[in-house]
Amino acid sequence: MSTLYVFNDKSAAQADVVTQDLAEIARVLATKGIRFEQWEANFPITAESTSEEILAAYGDSIAQLKEEGGYQTADVINMTPDHPDKIALRNKFLSEHTHSEDEVRFFVKGDGLFYLHLDDGVYAVQCCKNDLISVPANTQHWFDMGDSPNFTAVRLFTNPDGWVANFTGEKIADEFPRYEALAK
Ligand SMILES: [Fe+2]
């Protein structure tokens, strides 16, 4: 279930705010410049839907966001618990990093946990089916998909080649509860 935890960045033991109210999650994140919203499909998709069908089902929302954010391309990624590289893929984004462009994800199914380090807060957002999150360029963050990752997500890019992680070298991510502790 979509959930927001707000921690002080010096106090990982206890969240100051926990909410599953979608409007409240969006409101709190918007105060920090983070876009969080829900999309509806133009037509139903199934477990067998292809990437092309998924992109078409959310085509209106994707087109609108491309226009607003200047994104050029969209693709679909799929993570399953039997993915042979799931441990390496989880670990890859489990340390604090930034990107030189926005990290935009729409969850078609399943879930993942973004941790956004904004000013003196850590905003942990469990994104689930129908959730769109846009992490602005140069925002310090990390991402946890858990040890049994299971999600399908649409990604939007300005330039896919530029979407690399620049690690901050900070150990803050190790101090905060992981997916297993926070995901609902
Ligand atoms: Fe990232």
Side-chain angles (χ1 to χ4, degrees), residues 119-141:
D119 301 323
D120 59 354
V122 170
Y123 295 70
V125 193
Q126 184 185 3
C127 292
C128 299
K129 176 181 165 66
N130 297 335
D131 291 342
L132 175 283
I133 190 165
S134 179
V135 181
N138 305 313
T139 299
Q140 296 167 342
H141 69 280

Side-chain angles (χ1 to χ4, degrees), residues 136-171:
N138 305 313
T139 299
Q140 296 167 342
H141 69 280
W142 62 98
F143 176 74
D144 193 356
M145 60 178 80
D147 64 2
S148 187
N150 186 19
F151 65 87
T152 299
V154 175
R155 308 186 295 182
L156 281 83
F157 298 102
T158 308
N159 174 10
D161 296 336
W163 194 72
V164 294
N166 304 305
F167 292 96
T168 65
E170 299 294 332
K171 299 296 181 199

Side-chain angles (χ1 to χ4, degrees), residues 44-57:
I45 57 167
T46 69
E48 283 74 43
S49 294
T50 65
S51 294
E52 289 71 26
E53 289 166 342
I54 290 169
L55 291 171

Side-chain angles (χ1 to χ4, degrees), residues 93 97 99 103 141 163:
F93 295 112
H97 63 276
H99 306 281
E103 181 166 346
H141 69 280
W163 194 72

Side-chain angles (χ1 to χ4, degrees), residues 2-35:
S2 308
T3 306
L4 170 68
Y5 300 82
V6 183
F7 298 86
N8 183 282
D9 65 354
K10 304 284 191 299
S11 180
Q14 178 87 44
D16 299 322
V17 173
V18 181
T19 180
Q20 295 183 320
D21 181 321
L22 293 173
E24 179 65 5
I25 295 172
R27 187 194 69 76
V28 172
L29 292 176
T31 66
K32 294 293 183 181
I34 307 297
R35 183 174 187 142

